[in-house]
Amino acid sequence: MCDRPKNTDVRLRLPAVCFIWQTAMIILFGIFIRYDSESSPYWVEYKRDHNISSDAENDFYFRYPSFQDVHVMIFVGFGFLMTFLKRYSFGAVGFNFLIAAFGIQWALLMQGWFHSLDYSDGKIKIGVENLINADFCVASCLIAYGAVLGKVSPVQLMVLTLFGITLFAVEEYIILELLHARDAGGSMVIHTFGAYYGLSISWMLYRRNLDQSSRLQGSVYHSDVFAMIGTLFLWMFWPSFNSAIANHGDGQHRAAINTYLALASTVLTAMAISSLFQKHGKLDMVHIQNSTLAGGVAVGTAAEFMLMPYGSLIVGFCCGIISTMGYIYLSPFMEKHLKIQDTCGIHNLHAMPGVIGGIVGAITAAAATEPVYGSEGLIKTFGFEDHFEHRTPAEQGGYQAAGMCVALCFGIGGGIIVGCILRLPIWGDPADDNCFNDEVYWEVRDKQNVKESGPRLIIHPSIHPSIHPSIHPSIHPFSIPAFPGSPINHEI
Amino acid sequence: MCDRPKNTDVRLRLPAVCFIWQTAMIILFGIFIRYDSESSPYWVEYKRDHNISSDAENDFYFRYPSFQDVHVMIFVGFGFLMTFLKRYSFGAVGFNFLIAAFGIQWALLMQGWFHSLDYSDGKIKIGVENLINADFCVASCLIAYGAVLGKVSPVQLMVLTLFGITLFAVEEYIILELLHARDAGGSMVIHTFGAYYGLSISWMLYRRNLDQSSRLQGSVYHSDVFAMIGTLFLWMFWPSFNSAIANHGDGQHRAAINTYLALASTVLTAMAISSLFQKHGKLDMVHIQNSTLAGGVAVGTAAEFMLMPYGSLIVGFCCGIISTMGYIYLSPFMEKHLKIQDTCGIHNLHAMPGVIGGIVGAITAAAATEPVYGSEGLIKTFGFEDHFEHRTPAEQGGYQAAGMCVALCFGIGGGIIVGCILRLPIWGDPADDNCFNDEVYWEVRDKQNVKESGPRLIIHPSIHPSIHPSIHPSIHPFSIPAFPGSPINHEI
Amino acid sequence: MCDRPKNTDVRLRLPAVCFIWQTAMIILFGIFIRYDSESSPYWVEYKRDHNISSDAENDFYFRYPSFQDVHVMIFVGFGFLMTFLKRYSFGAVGFNFLIAAFGIQWALLMQGWFHSLDYSDGKIKIGVENLINADFCVASCLIAYGAVLGKVSPVQLMVLTLFGITLFAVEEYIILELLHARDAGGSMVIHTFGAYYGLSISWMLYRRNLDQSSRLQGSVYHSDVFAMIGTLFLWMFWPSFNSAIANHGDGQHRAAINTYLALASTVLTAMAISSLFQKHGKLDMVHIQNSTLAGGVAVGTAAEFMLMPYGSLIVGFCCGIISTMGYIYLSPFMEKHLKIQDTCGIHNLHAMPGVIGGIVGAITAAAATEPVYGSEGLIKTFGFEDHFEHRTPAEQGGYQAAGMCVALCFGIGGGIIVGCILRLPIWGDPADDNCFNDEVYWEVRDKQNVKESGPRLIIHPSIHPSIHPSIHPSIHPFSIPAFPGSPINHEI
């Protein structure tokens, strides 16, 4: 399907999708979405009725700072992390922006129906916690975007997001409500699901001749620095991510500490492996940009449990190694033998650490004891209340493991189905020789300049034709000067 | 006035202005500014006297996180949003930094005299809310800077800020105190005023021959990515902007939710229009960088009202369309026929959405009913207390509309007056053929390199003079290689 | 020592250090580190026993937003501030990331033993305040890194950090516990210590022939813009830095206000001096990137005292002048005559303002009176309790001054010792002609391209050999085209 000439003009398709879906959002929000008791003007009465002494008790003040940190991770963190490609920074930041903005609306509805539906009036009541959950939900689709970065059209990304959010909400409902598994940082529901969802789609959309775009698949010096902006904001705010919806008080406090520690130790082992397996021990920015984050993924589930500070360090230690190794050995293997082209290496950053996180969570839960948590603490931490008051930690461990499997199945199954849909030749995806190229979907202003730089590079050999091959090995149909908008434009 | 040779040496003028004004600030602060009851050591007694149970009741904890988000919007958001020009990034970030740092001090005084003066001792008592308001006040001047970006000297910007802050404080006092209009997010007092203030100044400073600088008016690939940093931080933190000074509890909570939703829907419609009106449906970074923010401006006034979630989506939906259309049709029209040169297109991002926001606010206020807000909620939300206890929502709507007009008049009137002052030939503004050029006011280190790149580009034709015109259409007096410090320097 | 050929291959040394030290951290954390009462599940019981009414009383909610701001300053602020060099951005952000991630772990232990050891069970109990203090502790080492930026290997940086954190913890214990000096923003314990520690090390590692790397010591246009990201995040979040561990309530509130004001006035004077001492009054990015921050350093100690708003402005006013002057006159003098090569000019940004901050703190403390602070406020602000209840403000001033001296001695003494260790020829530091070059420790992808750009530049003279010297003054052994990975790569 990737060989015939492509029509990448999305002039009608993209606007149509945006307008229709946004209109649908407005209608559905009009029917279903209302403010909850803490964000409606009735809060004054509500406070009195529940004799709440102070506005400081409004959930807004417990969660809003964490929400803003998560918000930064979604839009700047994920967006800039993907700007490393030399000529796909617009697509990385811009399409990330587009699908996240759509996704959070759809997520408020999908998650609302499952978690926040007020049966008294059939409305979804939203507050700051719903906003955080919507951002979480979108994160899974942005992870998936990482696998197909540069190879799909914005229309395909909107479809990927529509189905991704839907699958996420169902999977999350099964894991958190039915199985009553705990997953504060979403190692299972967000990272494992999102990563396998993206990898399956990437597998379905395998491009035999992707090497025709290899000239564009690398980074340039400054694009790597831009990517570090994404890396650092993800790394710094991950403690907020894992603690954002944890229990008030010790829950959020402990989740932040555990994540802070796991991430710190990941950095050291990721750098160590990167240096150890490189010629002359030179560090590779790809590893620093990605593997340093693996620890945050892997403590997601157990962040609010009594993982203990040293436990967090151990988890981070292992994930730094595994993730970096993955970039060195596994990614090439998967592309060559499994036909999975994973642009950002999400398998190493989200999939493996996510699975590890699920396992760590199951073990930590199964190992929970009353002396460690205190009787009330144990109940509060694992929510052994109502239907679940008779559940033991050991059982909880089992349900955690079950949740892990659900996330995997939804990710892989959903990805294959959505992948089939995205294979339809109607979405305006780029040709194999034009992937990772912002020119396809963006007006790039410095394109014209190539007209000047082109001739200059070709003149040289014309001076001494004899030396042409030796000094210009790169003058072939796909040499950079031959395509518009290469970094050469920085010249003029 | 723009044709005679210009003296852009601000060596004496800029330091003089900075030192004199900063010294004046110190003296005025010494006379007037003191800590308020929540930031003075008497807080311990204050707490006991007002039997406040906990330090958590200190306004610092209700507002500081939002303050920091607003602070980021002012310095990184506005600063980087304007870095899109290929060679004016220093001026964008640096002068934004300079005038914001001066503006917040002057704003603390001006707003203090109007809002925080303690008549018992004639002192202005400041706390975190004053810091937020100072940032807000400065925002209006930074918006105005967007219209004249690249065409004025730092001295002119200091003057623009001095008068802008002064006008803002008066206008804000009339709108919020005398008319008792509500404007949590400042659609009227900040955006409408600031935008028309800047546009009027730009109109007064019209440059007939600005096209002589057209070589510099575009962006390059990485400058567009830098601008996205500004866009995203503005977009992400806008909910904090609109909720920062809203009522504690449900007020802040609701304002954040409404802004979050409005911004999300703006992104989709802005992208849709950008693609729809472009050749081959290619997206334009200018629209993504700016129009995606219009929704935040437009829900500013109504953010804390019962706009309802779907209402926020509708406002965002419309503003995304109008703002993007503005960039495509209105900006060229205004430059050609109205002689308004609006570098950043603030008319599309702040002026139009600001006016829409004022109207939405007036309508929402007029439509307020007790069943929707609850009797106490209605009073608290609109401040129907003291002198205003007998005001009806309908009347409030009228006063909101009146406030809108006041903002417009102050913006346009003030801009014209200040514009006249800035026309004086004493401020060191750049010549028409040297606008948008950091070389004028900044030491640019990689300038020298042009000495090498210049000759190289000129040699080529010397090989085959015949082909000169064909391969070097750009070798004319204003071709990039001819001016120092073009991105060509990245080469060496 | 810098003349013999260097072996900069850290392939075994760096991984060895990372693995061994991280393993040690895990063991020590396993033995010593536990959650404190506010981050352990026993918080539920704790709340009841101390009849704490609400989770909002958990220290997490008082400090976490400030913690996240500080975290951003450490990783993005310091990291990007150092990206200004044209080809050392990877090292700036990457090594900053590495040593900070190691440092915070070691700091939790070192500071824990001195401040948070629970003698009942010999464990260190950590909460959010420990995380903030760990970040503070690391800040001192990152400041030191600024002096040796580009001239040391990552292994040397790890050693610098290991000893730096250790020295910091001891010095901090003496100053804050034994002398009971107050230093909320760390003017003394963080900035003065860190700066003199780094300067002494830089003095010990003096490189006679560093000018051989002068081609790389400058900035390019976009690297200066990247550096502004660091500057602005440091500037914006400094109020959080100085208030993060101040007393709840008025302490944090006042510290934030004072810092906000000091920083604002610094910007104006720094810009003024930068323009005044430059040819044609052109501003220098080096001053804007660094000197605008001096005010935040200098109000660190006195931030929570009654410095008064105008006092903060005065401190900022002076520091902006002194710091910028330092860059213009002192740094060249120190390099030429004192043999101190200070890459980032930390002497101007941290050392001098830090000392000023200590002095301002001592004076402000000595001048404290009960009418100004209130009897309870005085006790709370200066901690005149327990052993210190009979201390007078005058005495406190003396102890503050003593603390200043301790910080200086530890900085200079410690730096000389650690400098000796770092002189050992085993750490893989770069040769004099290869400093400030990411190629040494990083895989730089666009290196290869030089193969093409090299010949091109050399061909020109071959056309008119006669004009070679005139048009290519820069073709000498160290001309940029001759080394791999110069910005020239942006071309292809």
Side-chain angles (χ1 to χ4, degrees):
Chain A
M1 110 192 208
C2 298
D3 302 335
R4 56 170 179 59
K6 294 274 193 179
N7 168 17
T8 59
D9 184 341
V10 293
R11 183 170 182 181
L12 295 176
R13 287 172 280 194
L14 182 58
V17 168
C18 290
F19 277 123
I20 293 165
W21 294 6
Q22 186 58 57
T23 310
M25 289 300 123
I26 292 172
I27 295 164
L28 291 168
F29 269 61
I31 299 170
F32 289 104
I33 306 269
R34 297 293 178 266
Y35 304 110
D36 71 9
S37 54
E38 308 201 349
S39 57
S40 95
Y42 279 95
W43 164 249
V44 194
E45 280 90 343
Y46 182 88
K47 248 166 59 188
R48 193 171 47 246
D49 305 347
H50 300 65
N51 52 66
I52 292 165
S53 61
S54 151
D55 281 325
E57 294 295 312
N58 190 305
D59 199 36
F60 182 78
Y61 301 103
F62 286 99
R63 307 220 182 267
Y64 190 71
S66 313
F67 159 67
Q68 274 298 7
D69 294 345
V70 171
H71 217 39
V72 172
M73 293 172 73
I74 297 299
F75 291 89
V76 164
F78 281 104
F80 274 85
L81 183 61
M82 297 190 288
T83 57
F84 69 96
L85 289 171
K86 61 166 71 93
R87 291 301 279 188
Y88 208 71
S89 301
F90 291 2
V93 173
F95 295 150
N96 180 84
F97 194 17
L98 171 66
I99 62 179
F102 164 68
I104 54 182
Q105 299 177 59
W106 182 225
L108 281 171
L109 283 161
M110 282 304 301
Q111 294 182 307
W113 283 316
F114 282 115
H115 302 288
S116 311
L117 199 59
D118 175 344
Y119 293 99
S120 67
D121 60 2
K123 304 297 186 191
I124 297 163
K125 304 295 172 70
I126 63 169
V128 66
E129 191 166 347
N130 298 72
L131 305 190
I132 296 170
N133 277 311
D135 275 18
F136 279 1
C137 189
V138 161
S140 64
C141 295
L142 301 181
I143 291 165
Y145 179 28
V148 296
L149 181 71
K151 301 173 293 186
V152 294
S153 76
V155 184
Q156 284 177 303
L157 287 173
M158 291 293 282
V159 175
L160 177 153
T161 307
L162 178 73
F163 288 104
I165 300 289
T166 314
L167 288 159
F168 179 96
V170 177
E171 162 239 30
E172 183 192 43
Y173 177 73
I174 295 169
I175 295 173
L176 301 187
E177 302 292 321
L178 304 186
L179 300 177
H180 195 68
R182 309 285 292 176
D183 196 6
S187 299
M188 302 184 287
V189 296
I190 299 169
H191 297 285
T192 305
F193 165 75
Y196 284 103
Y197 179 63
L199 291 167
S200 312
I201 291 173
S202 185
W203 178 66
M204 294 299 293
L205 300 180
Y206 178 71
R207 287 164 177 269
R208 205 180 319 98
N209 306 317
L210 190 59
D211 57 353
Q212 292 175 2
S213 294
S214 57
R215 71 188 185 283
L216 289 169
Q217 211 171 345
S219 64
V220 288
Y221 195 71
H222 279 168
S223 70
D224 269 326
V225 182
F226 277 117
M228 282 305 292
I229 296 173
T231 301
L232 288 173
F233 275 103
L234 286 170
W235 194 91
M236 296 181 300
F237 289 163
W238 216 292
S240 304
F241 190 92
N242 288 350
S243 66
I245 57 167
N247 292 328
H248 289 176
D250 64 291
Q252 284 189 285
H253 203 151
R254 191 164 55 252
I257 294 171
N258 288 335
T259 312
Y260 174 91
L261 293 173
L263 284 162
S265 82
T266 305
V267 174
L268 271 80
T269 52
M271 293 246 187
I273 297 292
S274 180
S275 171
L276 192 60
F277 285 79
Q278 223 65 207
K279 197 153 63 343
H280 308 309
K282 292 189 178 186
L283 295 161
D284 187 329
M285 279 305 263
V286 172
H287 307 153
I288 311 311
Q289 285 160 8
N290 296 281
S291 299
T292 50
L293 300 166
V297 174
V299 291
T301 301
E304 60 178 337
F305 301 159
M306 286 297 277
L307 184 55
M308 307 310 291
Y310 67 87
S312 309
L313 291 182
I314 292 169
V315 172
F317 188 95
C318 302
C319 287
I321 296 171
I322 293 165
S323 177
T324 315
M325 293 286 213
Y327 277 97
I328 298 170
Y329 295 115
L330 213 51
S331 293
F333 175 86
M334 286 169 64
E335 173 147 6
K336 191 143 174 296
H337 301 293
L338 307 185
K339 307 222 170 303
I340 298 175
Q341 291 158 327
D342 179 4
T343 311
C344 298
I346 63 168
H347 185 267
N348 313 309
L349 170 48
H350 297 281
M352 291 192 295
V355 172
I356 292 168
I359 295 164
V360 170
I363 294 168
T364 320
T369 61
E370 220 168 272
V372 174
Y373 287 79
S375 56
E376 294 175 69
L378 193 65
I379 292 163
K380 188 176 164 215
T381 305
F382 294 99
F384 291 157
E385 297 154 317
D386 315 334
H387 318 59
F388 304 100
E389 60 186 321
H390 299 306
R391 185 180 280 188
T392 67
E395 289 163 11
Q396 181 65 28
Y399 284 103
Q400 296 283 142
M404 187 70 235
C405 303
V406 174
L408 272 167
C409 298
F410 268 77
I412 295 169
I416 289 171
I417 296 161
V418 175
C420 291
I421 298 167
L422 296 181
R423 282 177 70 96
L424 300 174
I426 60 174
W427 305 119
D429 52 316
D432 288 2
D433 63 358
N434 214 8
C435 290
F436 315 115
N437 185 0
D438 274 333
E439 299 289 315
V440 181
Y441 302 111
W442 298 84
E443 284 294 338
V444 178
R445 276 176 188 58
D446 39 20
K447 188 166 35 182
Q448 74 211 42
N449 308 329
V450 173
K451 289 192 192 62
E452 280 132 45
S453 55
R456 196 193 69 248
L457 283 165
I458 281 139
I459 276 175
H460 301 240
S462 76
I463 306 161
H464 310 297
S466 58
I467 61 170
H468 170 186
S470 59
I471 71 163
H472 284 295
S474 78
I475 301 287
H476 63 74
F478 294 119
S479 72
I480 306 305
F483 84 98
S486 79
I488 196 159
N489 307 341
H490 279 265
E491 253 195 35
I492 314 272
Chain B
M1 107 193 210
C2 298
D3 301 335
R4 54 169 181 61
K6 295 273 194 180
N7 168 15
T8 59
D9 184 339
V10 293
R11 184 172 180 180
L12 295 176
R13 287 171 282 194
L14 181 57
V17 168
C18 290
F19 277 122
I20 294 163
W21 294 6
Q22 186 58 57
T23 310
M25 289 300 122
I26 291 172
I27 295 163
L28 290 168
F29 270 60
I31 300 169
F32 290 104
I33 306 269
R34 298 292 179 268
Y35 304 110
D36 71 11
S37 53
E38 307 200 351
S39 57
S40 94
Y42 280 93
W43 166 248
V44 193
E45 279 90 344
Y46 182 87
K47 248 166 60 187
R48 195 173 44 247
D49 305 345
H50 300 64
N51 51 66
I52 292 165
S53 59
S54 152
D55 282 325
E57 294 295 312
N58 190 306
D59 198 36
F60 182 79
Y61 301 103
F62 287 98
R63 307 218 181 268
Y64 190 70
S66 312
F67 159 67
Q68 274 299 6
D69 294 346
V70 172
H71 217 38
V72 172
M73 292 172 74
I74 298 297
F75 290 89
V76 163
F78 281 104
F80 274 84
L81 183 62
M82 297 190 288
T83 58
F84 70 97
L85 289 171
K86 61 165 72 94
R87 292 300 279 188
Y88 208 70
S89 302
F90 292 2
V93 173
F95 295 149
N96 181 85
F97 194 16
L98 171 66
I99 62 179
F102 164 68
I104 54 181
Q105 299 178 59
W106 182 225
L108 281 171
L109 284 161
M110 283 303 300
Q111 293 182 309
W113 284 315
F114 283 115
H115 302 289
S116 311
L117 199 58
D118 175 344
Y119 294 99
S120 69
D121 60 3
K123 304 296 186 193
I124 296 163
K125 303 296 172 69
I126 63 169
V128 65
E129 191 165 348
N130 299 73
L131 305 190
I132 296 170
N133 277 309
D135 275 18
F136 279 2
C137 189
V138 161
S140 64
C141 295
L142 301 182
I143 291 165
Y145 179 27
V148 296
L149 180 70
K151 300 174 293 184
V152 293
S153 75
V155 185
Q156 284 176 303
L157 287 172
M158 291 293 283
V159 176
L160 177 152
T161 306
L162 178 72
F163 288 105
I165 301 288
T166 314
L167 289 160
F168 179 97
V170 177
E171 162 239 31
E172 182 194 44
Y173 177 73
I174 296 169
I175 295 173
L176 302 187
E177 302 291 319
L178 303 187
L179 299 177
H180 195 67
R182 307 286 291 177
D183 195 7
S187 298
M188 302 184 287
V189 296
I190 299 169
H191 297 285
T192 305
F193 165 76
Y196 284 103
Y197 179 63
L199 291 167
S200 312
I201 290 172
S202 185
W203 178 65
M204 294 300 293
L205 300 180
Y206 178 71
R207 286 163 177 271
R208 206 181 318 98
N209 306 318
L210 191 59
D211 57 354
Q212 291 176 2
S213 293
S214 57
R215 72 189 184 284
L216 289 168
Q217 212 171 346
S219 64
V220 288
Y221 195 71
H222 278 167
S223 70
D224 269 327
V225 182
F226 277 117
M228 282 305 292
I229 295 173
T231 301
L232 288 173
F233 275 102
L234 286 171
W235 194 91
M236 296 181 301
F237 289 162
W238 217 292
S240 304
F241 190 92
N242 288 350
S243 66
I245 57 167
N247 291 329
H248 288 177
D250 63 293
Q252 284 190 285
H253 204 151
R254 191 164 56 251
I257 293 172
N258 288 335
T259 312
Y260 174 92
L261 293 173
L263 284 163
S265 84
T266 306
V267 174
L268 271 81
T269 51
M271 293 246 185
I273 297 292
S274 180
S275 171
L276 192 60
F277 285 79
Q278 222 66 207
K279 194 154 65 345
H280 307 308
K282 292 189 180 187
L283 295 160
D284 187 329
M285 278 306 263
V286 173
H287 307 152
I288 311 311
Q289 285 160 7
N290 295 282
S291 299
T292 51
L293 300 166
V297 174
V299 291
T301 301
E304 61 178 338
F305 302 160
M306 287 296 278
L307 183 56
M308 305 311 291
Y310 67 87
S312 309
L313 291 182
I314 292 168
V315 172
F317 188 95
C318 301
C319 286
I321 296 171
I322 293 165
S323 177
T324 315
M325 292 286 214
Y327 277 96
I328 298 170
Y329 296 116
L330 214 51
S331 293
F333 174 86
M334 287 169 63
E335 173 147 9
K336 191 144 175 298
H337 301 293
L338 308 184
K339 306 221 171 303
I340 298 176
Q341 291 157 328
D342 179 4
T343 311
C344 296
I346 63 169
H347 185 266
N348 313 307
L349 171 48
H350 297 281
M352 290 192 296
V355 172
I356 292 168
I359 294 163
V360 170
I363 294 168
T364 320
T369 61
E370 218 166 274
V372 175
Y373 287 80
S375 56
E376 294 176 69
L378 193 66
I379 292 163
K380 189 176 164 213
T381 305
F382 294 99
F384 291 156
E385 299 154 317
D386 316 333
H387 318 58
F388 305 100
E389 60 187 325
H390 300 305
R391 185 181 281 188
T392 67
E395 288 164 11
Q396 180 66 26
Y399 283 104
Q400 294 285 141
M404 188 71 235
C405 303
V406 174
L408 273 168
C409 299
F410 267 78
I412 296 169
I416 289 171
I417 296 161
V418 175
C420 292
I421 297 167
L422 295 181
R423 281 176 71 96
L424 299 174
I426 60 173
W427 306 118
D429 53 316
D432 289 2
D433 62 358
N434 214 6
C435 290
F436 317 115
N437 185 0
D438 274 332
E439 299 289 315
V440 180
Y441 302 112
W442 299 84
E443 285 295 338
V444 178
R445 281 183 182 53
D446 40 18
K447 187 165 39 182
Q448 77 214 40
N449 307 331
V450 172
K451 289 193 193 60
E452 277 132 45
S453 56
R456 195 192 69 250
L457 284 166
I458 283 140
I459 274 175
H460 301 240
S462 76
I463 306 163
H464 309 296
S466 59
I467 62 169
H468 171 186
S470 60
I471 70 163
H472 283 294
S474 79
I475 300 289
H476 63 73
F478 292 121
S479 73
I480 306 305
F483 83 96
S486 79
I488 194 159
N489 307 342
H490 278 266
E491 252 195 34
I492 313 275
Chain C
M1 112 196 209
C2 298
D3 302 335
R4 54 169 181 61
K6 294 274 192 178
N7 168 15
T8 59
D9 184 340
V10 292
R11 183 172 181 179
L12 295 176
R13 286 172 281 194
L14 181 58
V17 168
C18 290
F19 277 122
I20 294 165
W21 294 7
Q22 186 58 57
T23 310
M25 289 301 122
I26 291 172
I27 295 164
L28 290 168
F29 269 60
I31 300 169
F32 289 104
I33 307 269
R34 298 290 179 268
Y35 304 110
D36 71 10
S37 53
E38 307 200 351
S39 57
S40 95
Y42 279 95
W43 165 248
V44 194
E45 279 90 344
Y46 182 87
K47 249 166 60 185
R48 195 173 44 247
D49 305 348
H50 299 65
N51 52 65
I52 292 165
S53 60
S54 152
D55 282 325
E57 294 294 312
N58 190 304
D59 198 38
F60 182 79
Y61 301 103
F62 287 98
R63 307 221 181 266
Y64 190 70
S66 312
F67 160 68
Q68 273 299 8
D69 294 345
V70 172
H71 217 38
V72 172
M73 292 173 73
I74 298 298
F75 290 88
V76 164
F78 282 103
F80 273 85
L81 183 62
M82 298 191 287
T83 58
F84 69 96
L85 288 171
K86 60 165 74 95
R87 292 300 280 188
Y88 208 72
S89 302
F90 291 1
V93 173
F95 295 149
N96 181 84
F97 194 16
L98 171 66
I99 63 180
F102 164 68
I104 53 181
Q105 299 178 58
W106 181 227
L108 281 171
L109 284 162
M110 284 302 301
Q111 294 182 306
W113 283 316
F114 283 115
H115 301 288
S116 312
L117 199 59
D118 174 345
Y119 293 100
S120 69
D121 61 2
K123 305 296 187 191
I124 297 163
K125 304 294 172 69
I126 63 170
V128 66
E129 191 165 346
N130 298 73
L131 304 190
I132 296 170
N133 277 311
D135 275 19
F136 279 2
C137 189
V138 161
S140 64
C141 295
L142 301 182
I143 291 165
Y145 179 27
V148 296
L149 180 70
K151 301 174 294 186
V152 294
S153 75
V155 185
Q156 285 176 303
L157 287 173
M158 291 293 282
V159 175
L160 177 153
T161 306
L162 178 73
F163 288 105
I165 300 288
T166 314
L167 289 160
F168 179 96
V170 177
E171 161 239 30
E172 182 193 44
Y173 177 73
I174 295 169
I175 295 172
L176 301 187
E177 302 292 320
L178 303 187
L179 300 177
H180 195 69
R182 308 285 291 175
D183 195 6
S187 299
M188 301 184 289
V189 296
I190 299 169
H191 297 286
T192 305
F193 165 75
Y196 284 103
Y197 178 62
L199 290 167
S200 312
I201 290 173
S202 186
W203 178 65
M204 294 299 293
L205 300 181
Y206 178 71
R207 286 164 177 270
R208 207 181 318 98
N209 306 317
L210 191 59
D211 57 354
Q212 291 175 1
S213 294
S214 56
R215 72 188 184 284
L216 289 168
Q217 211 171 347
S219 63
V220 288
Y221 196 71
H222 279 166
S223 70
D224 269 326
V225 182
F226 276 118
M228 282 305 292
I229 296 173
T231 300
L232 289 173
F233 275 103
L234 286 170
W235 193 91
M236 296 182 300
F237 289 162
W238 215 293
S240 303
F241 190 91
N242 287 350
S243 66
I245 59 167
N247 292 328
H248 287 177
D250 64 292
Q252 284 190 284
H253 203 150
R254 191 163 55 250
I257 293 171
N258 288 334
T259 312
Y260 174 92
L261 293 172
L263 285 163
S265 84
T266 306
V267 174
L268 271 81
T269 51
M271 292 244 187
I273 297 293
S274 180
S275 172
L276 192 60
F277 285 79
Q278 226 59 212
K279 193 154 65 343
H280 307 309
K282 292 189 180 187
L283 296 161
D284 187 330
M285 279 306 264
V286 173
H287 307 152
I288 311 311
Q289 285 159 9
N290 295 282
S291 299
T292 51
L293 300 167
V297 175
V299 291
T301 301
E304 60 178 338
F305 301 161
M306 287 297 277
L307 183 56
M308 306 311 290
Y310 66 87
S312 310
L313 291 182
I314 292 168
V315 172
F317 187 95
C318 301
C319 287
I321 296 170
I322 293 165
S323 176
T324 316
M325 293 287 213
Y327 277 97
I328 298 170
Y329 295 116
L330 213 51
S331 294
F333 175 86
M334 286 170 62
E335 174 148 6
K336 191 144 175 297
H337 301 294
L338 308 185
K339 307 224 171 301
I340 297 175
Q341 292 158 327
D342 179 4
T343 311
C344 296
I346 64 168
H347 185 267
N348 313 308
L349 171 48
H350 297 281
M352 290 192 294
V355 172
I356 292 168
I359 295 163
V360 170
I363 295 166
T364 320
T369 61
E370 218 166 275
V372 175
Y373 288 78
S375 56
E376 294 176 69
L378 193 66
I379 292 163
K380 189 176 162 215
T381 305
F382 294 99
F384 291 157
E385 299 152 317
D386 315 335
H387 318 60
F388 305 99
E389 61 186 322
H390 299 306
R391 186 181 280 189
T392 67
E395 288 164 11
Q396 181 65 26
Y399 283 105
Q400 295 283 143
M404 187 70 235
C405 303
V406 174
L408 272 168
C409 299
F410 267 78
I412 295 168
I416 289 171
I417 295 161
V418 175
C420 292
I421 297 167
L422 295 182
R423 280 176 71 96
L424 300 175
I426 60 174
W427 305 118
D429 53 316
D432 289 2
D433 63 358
N434 214 7
C435 290
F436 316 114
N437 185 359
D438 274 334
E439 298 290 314
V440 180
Y441 302 112
W442 298 84
E443 285 294 337
V444 178
R445 275 176 189 60
D446 40 18
K447 189 165 35 182
Q448 74 210 42
N449 308 330
V450 173
K451 290 192 191 59
E452 279 131 45
S453 56
R456 196 193 69 249
L457 284 165
I458 282 140
I459 273 173
H460 302 240
S462 76
I463 306 162
H464 309 296
S466 58
I467 62 171
H468 171 186
S470 60
I471 71 164
H472 284 294
S474 78
I475 301 287
H476 62 75
F478 293 119
S479 72
I480 306 304
F483 83 96
S486 80
I488 195 161
N489 307 340
H490 279 265
E491 252 192 37
I492 313 270

